[in-house]
Amino acid sequence: MIHPEEGAHVKPLAGIRMMVTRSRQQAGELITQLEALGGEAYAFPLIKMVPPRDTSPLDKAIFQLADYDWVMFTSVNGVRFFLERMRALQVPFERLTARLAAVGPKTAAELTKHGWKVDLIPSDYVAEGMLVSLKEELKPGERVLLPRADIARKLLPEELSRMGMEVAEVDVYQTVIDGEQAPEAAEYLSQGRIDVIAFTSSSTVSYFLEAMAPYGGAALLGNVRIACIGPITAQTAKAHGLHPDIVAEEYTVEGLMEALIIYWGGKADGRHF
């Protein structure tokens, strides 16, 4: 393993080599931030996001947008695919007049970029945090639209229904495995060319193990640190028998970078201890 050199002029993640398992479309931000901190990235995209096989429930929801009191977005991808479908159906953005909730600042930024005002962003960027924040805002009987991934957890719709909301959950995109680079990635790991692997969602964990099963599976991570973007991803890793070394306190790319810096003996502002 390569450790960052000492010295105030050395960047806090200098020499750290990270395997990035995000989709090709999403990996850029993480790689840019890692390299700015002195690290090196090896992109091993494990996820592809594609439109749902059956778009009829989503199309129906888009045509009936005026019927909803809230639309809740739980990912940047959810916003993007929703917008793409609105464009494809030639439904004007102005038709979305419901109050909007976004699970975190990146999702909110994607909405505001298109002129929408976000009414609620929870302090904890997971479904549990959104539920806590929504308790004071929602009224029983209100109609809620949840445009989400096909593999999204059921906690949010189930709890909203329990709170008396009328919930419509529609698949706005589906995630599929992208294991094209698996043989090369296995070679990188077995040759000790990776210091840390970053899992940025539960599906990256399960897809990693599925893609790498023919090449050694979890054993390939024996000498590799495991970093997770948040507690849900860490729980999934543990459920698969992995042991996360680093878990971000803020469930964002920035939070993950902070956690890495601290793990390798620095401070979140870039100074070394």
Side-chain angles (χ1 to χ4, degrees):
M1 176 183 295
I2 294 177
H3 294 282
E5 299 171 27
E6 296 299 329
H9 64 287
V10 177
K11 293 180 177 177
L13 294 180
I16 300 298
R17 299 168 297 193
M18 173 186 278
M19 180 172 279
V20 177
T21 60
R22 280 197 141 181
S23 68
R24 292 180 196 280
Q25 299 93 329
Q26 285 188 303
E29 180 193 10
L30 196 158
I31 291 171
T32 299
Q33 291 200 26
L34 175 68
E35 291 178 345
L37 293 165
E40 301 170 28
Y42 171 73
F44 176 30
L46 281 162
I47 289 179
K48 283 191 288 195
M49 274 136 326
V50 297
R53 290 185 195 89
D54 178 10
T55 60
S56 55
L58 173 61
D59 294 351
K60 182 181 175 187
I62 288 175
F63 284 126
Q64 296 178 345
L65 275 175
D67 294 345
Y68 292 98
D69 299 294
W70 284 88
V71 181
M72 299 179 184
F73 291 96
T74 54
S75 71
V76 171
N77 288 315
V79 176
R80 289 175 181 164
F81 277 91
F82 192 81
L83 290 177
E84 283 177 18
R85 197 62 197 159
M86 287 186 76
R87 288 192 192 98
L89 296 174
Q90 298 185 325
V91 174
F93 289 175
E94 292 75 20
R95 200 75 65 82
L96 180 54
T97 55
R99 297 183 76 189
L100 301 182
V103 75
K106 295 284 170 62
T107 304
E110 192 66 25
L111 286 163
T112 54
K113 193 165 79 179
H114 296 280
W116 283 319
K117 174 180 170 287
V118 177
D119 298 280
L120 186 141
I121 306 173
S123 53
D124 259 357
Y125 308 148
V126 289
E128 288 84 345
M130 187 174 268
L131 282 167
V132 170
S133 301
L134 284 167
K135 273 183 182 170
E136 301 296 321
E137 300 284 339
L138 296 179
K139 298 178 183 64
E142 286 186 322
R143 300 195 68 196
V144 176
L145 176 61
L146 279 175
R148 309 207 300 160
D150 59 327
I151 57 169
R153 292 188 300 149
K154 296 296 179 188
L155 176 76
L156 189 56
E158 286 174 357
E159 287 300 314
L160 287 171
S161 296
R162 204 165 288 134
M163 290 161 64
M165 307 299 118
E166 191 178 331
V167 182
E169 185 187 11
V170 294
D171 291 349
V172 70
Y173 68 96
Q174 60 176 341
T175 62
V176 295
I177 189 168
D178 179 4
E180 190 180 327
Q181 277 179 225
E184 182 184 86
E187 203 171 315
Y188 267 66
L189 289 166
S190 60
Q191 292 175 352
R193 297 165 67 182
I194 300 295
D195 298 314
V196 57
I197 184 168
F199 291 122
T200 51
S201 66
S202 291
S203 50
T204 58
V205 177
S206 51
Y207 287 163
F208 174 85
L209 294 171
E210 184 179 339
M212 302 308 259
Y215 310 99
L220 289 167
L221 298 180
N223 295 312
V224 176
R225 302 290 189 274
I226 295 173
C228 296
I229 202 164
I232 304 300
T233 304
Q235 282 172 20
T236 303
K238 289 175 186 172
H240 284 284
L242 303 178
H243 304 284
D245 301 283
I246 302 151
V247 180
E249 289 189 9
E250 183 182 295
Y251 320 144
T252 61
V253 169
E254 291 80 4
L256 185 61
M257 291 298 117
E258 284 187 12
L260 287 165
I261 292 169
I262 292 168
Y263 180 82
W264 264 289
K267 290 184 176 177
D269 61 5
R271 289 175 291 139
H272 291 270
F273 287 130

